[in-house]
């Protein structure tokens, strides 16, 4: 093992999730897999070929650097869409490489219009509308000007999509707001249609929207977290399971496991402090294991004296503070524990599982945040 830990990606779990999620779509709806945030920490380069094999042919990223990474390895027929940041100097790259992208300001629209006059291909753009999230998107009073510019430049600027994003479709408390957004979005799409602008894709749905508002799956859906086997929120999970009457098996499976090994085992007598400072005092003669993973590798320092990992199929606690490169675990109750024994930081060992959610319950961050903090340079391996 060259690195101090590694990540395994389960093809089986991924296929299972895709089948479940695609099964919720009406025929003809395009499935775009969101691979921003280094594919939610799973690794763009590792996950993309697995997803292509499962038949997905549309990928959504946040920024042009991610688009370039995906473009380098994707199959010819697959499409890429940038939902966020592209500097003007990269518009030409995107246009020439058939990468579609969001346009949400008049400045960007004018820059696209200018660039697309020089490129060999038309720009493929998605007009993002502000419908209630108040983050990015065109306001209602700007739409006439947008539509006029698009009509005038229809040879060089191709309106591929109209879209918006929901401000929290994963929480019941937000359902009213999300419902209003959906209604406004539909109205404005009709407005564009009446203006003579008929894009290929009207899209609004993320994972939570697909699960909680199936009607929001219009011509394309942008699904992120659920592909990887996580519910967008506990509420969404409960709503989904409850709707089905009895408590069924969770239809989503975790794709990612994160593993390391024990690098040292030591006896520590009762009444000694372990690791930096005085946050952990042994209350018995203890056996202490050291794992070469710390906050520098994405294992949050908030899990000091709190987190759990699996050794020989048993849950053990992280004791003392999580260091930059190491954590200490209490292995007193693990018989025959040895250097090189496997340590599971996320995933299954024997009958026990450590989920990312259990991390997030303990340190108040979200699955999204913990996953994307997994460093890019931890090696990823697929298990088929
Ligand atoms: C991240 C993102 C998504 C996917 O959200 P999930 O909750 O992960 O499914 C969809 N659309 C936009 C614009 C996003 O930024």
């Amino acid at each position: 093992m060259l690195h101090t830990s590694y990540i395994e990606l389960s093809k089986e779990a991924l296929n299972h999730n895709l089948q479940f999620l695609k099964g919720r779509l009406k025929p003809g709806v395009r499935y775009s897999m969101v691979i921003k945030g280094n594919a939610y920490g799973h690794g763009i380069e590792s996950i993309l070929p697995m997803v292509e094999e499962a038949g997905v042919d549309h990928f959504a990223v946040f920024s042009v650097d991610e688009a370039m990474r995906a473009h380098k390895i994707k199959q010819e027929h697959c499409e890429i869409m940038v939902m966020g940041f592209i500097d003007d100097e990269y518009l030409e790259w995107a246009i020439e490489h058939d990468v579609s992208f969001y346009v949400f300001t008049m400045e960007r629209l004018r820059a696209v219009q200018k660039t697309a006059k020089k490129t060999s291909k038309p720009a493929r753009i998605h007009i993002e509308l502000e419908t209630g999230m108040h983050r990015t998107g065109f306001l209602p009073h700007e739409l006439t000007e947008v539509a006029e510019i698009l009509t005038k430049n229809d040879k060089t600027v191709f309106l591929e999509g109209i879209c918006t994003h929901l401000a929290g479709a994963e929480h019941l408390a937000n359902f009213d707001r999300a419902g209003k957004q959906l209604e406004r979005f539909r109205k404005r799409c009709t407005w564009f249609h009446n203006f003579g602008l008929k894009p290929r894709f009207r899209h609004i749905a993320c994972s939570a929207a697909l699960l909680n508002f199936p009607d929001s799956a219009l011509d394309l859906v942008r699904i992120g977290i659920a592909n990887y086997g996580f519910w967008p929120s506990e509420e969404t999970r409960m709503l989904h399971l409850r709707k089905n009457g009895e408590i069924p098996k969770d239809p989503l499976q975790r794709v990612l496991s994160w593993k390391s090994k024990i690098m040292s085992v030591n006896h520590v007598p009762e009444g000694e402090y372990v690791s930096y400072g005085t946050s952990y005092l042994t209350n018995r003669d203890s056996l202490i294991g050291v794992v070469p993973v710390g906050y520098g590798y994405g294992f949050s320092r908030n899990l000091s004296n709190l987190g759990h990992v699996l050794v020989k199929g048993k849950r053990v606690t992280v004791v003392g503070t999580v260091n930059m490169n190491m954590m200490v675990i209490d292995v007193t109750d693990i018989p025959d524990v040895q250097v090189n024994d496997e340590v599971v930081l996320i995933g299954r060992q024997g009958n026990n599982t450590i989920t990312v959610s259990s991390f997030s319950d303990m340190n108040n961050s979200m699955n999204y945040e913990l996953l994307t903090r997994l460093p890019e340079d931890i090696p990823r391996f697929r298990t088929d």
Side-chain angles (χ1 to χ4, degrees), residues 34 36 40 83 102 135 165 206-208 222-225 232 368:
V34 181
K36 68 188 181 192
Y40 294 60
M83 305 184 294
Y102 279 27
R135 191 173 65 177
H165 192 49
C206 56
S207 300
R222 312 180 302 256
I223 309 299
I225 194 96
Y368 292 85

Side-chain angles (χ1 to χ4, degrees), residues 5-24:
S5 67
Y6 62 96
I7 286 169
E8 280 177 359
L9 302 170
S10 162
K11 181 81 192 306
E12 198 185 314
L14 181 68
N15 285 352
H16 173 92
N17 297 339
L18 283 167
Q19 203 173 1
F20 165 70
L21 293 161
K22 283 179 160 179
R24 302 180 64 84

Side-chain angles (χ1 to χ4, degrees), residues 202-215:
R202 293 160 304 155
H203 51 106
I204 183 165
C206 56
S207 300
L210 175 63
L211 295 161
N212 294 330
F213 301 94
D215 286 349

Side-chain angles (χ1 to χ4, degrees), residues 22 26 43 61 91 100 105 137 157 209 212 248 322 328 331 338 343 384:
K22 283 179 160 179
K26 284 175 276 196
V61 297
L91 287 174
S100 69
T105 61
V157 181
N212 294 330
V322 172
V328 180
V331 288
Q338 281 172 3
V343 177
D384 283 13

Side-chain angles (χ1 to χ4, degrees), residues 111-123:
V112 172
Q113 180 195 349
K114 222 168 103 192
T115 310
K117 287 202 165 81
K118 299 179 294 192
T119 50
S120 68
K121 296 172 177 170

Side-chain angles (χ1 to χ4, degrees), residues 46-79:
S46 311
I47 209 88
L48 194 141
M50 296 167 74
V51 184
E52 280 178 338
E53 282 167 31
V56 173
D57 59 2
H58 199 287
F59 297 99
V61 297
F62 176 73
S63 55
V64 74
D65 61 307
E66 293 171 339
M68 285 180 174
R69 283 170 62 187
H71 184 266
K72 209 179 263 173
I73 55 165
K74 75 172 185 69
Q75 290 175 19
E76 184 74 29
H77 69 282
C78 294
E79 298 184 58

